[in-house]
Amino acid sequence: MRGVGLEALRPDWARENRRMRPSDLVVRNTTYEQFVELGCAPTRAHIAATLGVERSTVRAAWERLHSEHAIVLGPDGDLLMANPFSALPTPFRVTADGREWDANCAWDAIGICAALHCDGAIDTSCADCGDAIEFEVVDGAPTQPTLLFHCLVPARSWWEDIAFT
């Protein structure tokens, strides 16, 4: 059956082939560990060297992890997000445990402190007026109880464009 892909013969094949594998969890955990250690997004080459595997192995694992919403890849296949960490500079800067990271949003900024199990300081600004907002997370809670977190996009729609959300 020339010209017919396996997807046409067995539609669930493509979906099954994209499902996470146990080895993908090793790649995911190493990606997060290196993100924390480096203070920025690791490259496929860095993860491959750390694990002693080929870059193509990391790329395939990242693609499966992306399809399961475990990480977010950019159009070039490079890491864009490993929630709560952002690979790109954002207006949500977190200082914790003597290091700095960018978060994807205000919620993720607090999430970095939670993920690292440590106190931290968050520097951002109001999306409406531009005023600086600085607060700390101490013992797992923001120090300013009057802060509000607004989600422009309903949660059910976040993954339609997670980078915008």
Side-chain angles (χ1 to χ4, degrees):
M1 295 180 68
R2 203 167 172 187
V4 176
L6 288 175
E7 296 85 2
L9 298 173
R10 189 170 161 225
D12 60 335
W13 178 85
R15 184 177 58 252
E16 287 175 8
N17 200 36
R18 287 192 304 261
R19 286 195 180 135
M20 287 194 307
R21 302 169 183 168
S23 60
D24 295 343
L25 299 179
V26 173
V27 171
R28 182 198 65 185
N29 292 345
T30 302
T31 300
Y32 273 91
E33 288 166 1
Q34 293 302 304
F35 213 130
V36 170
E37 185 176 311
L38 298 170
C40 62
T43 63
R44 280 189 306 273
H46 182 86
I47 298 301
T50 300
L51 293 173
V53 299
E54 298 293 324
R55 288 184 202 177
S56 60
T57 301
V58 175
R59 182 179 184 106
W62 277 6
E63 287 172 355
R64 287 186 295 273
L65 292 164
H66 173 83
S67 72
E68 295 293 328
H69 299 169
I71 61 170
V72 180
L73 300 178
D76 57 2
D78 287 338
L79 195 59
L80 184 62
M81 298 177 193
N83 293 324
F85 302 98
S86 174
L88 301 176
T90 70
F92 307 98
R93 194 71 179 156
V94 179
T95 303
D97 201 27
R99 294 170 286 173
E100 294 184 347
W101 297 271
D102 285 292
N104 300 301
C105 63
W107 186 262
D108 282 351
I110 296 167
I112 287 176
C113 298
L116 299 176
H117 304 283
C118 66
D119 297 342
I122 298 167
D123 295 313
T124 188
S125 59
C126 175
D128 181 46
C129 68
D131 287 352
I133 300 173
E134 298 174 359
F135 66 97
E136 294 182 350
V137 174
V138 177
D139 295 328
T143 56
Q144 293 185 21
T146 59
L147 292 175
L148 296 175
F149 174 75
H150 174 73
C151 292
L152 180 64
V153 178
R156 70 178 174 274
S157 302
W158 286 356
W159 285 100
E160 291 171 15
D161 186 353
I162 193 65
F164 172 77
T165 300

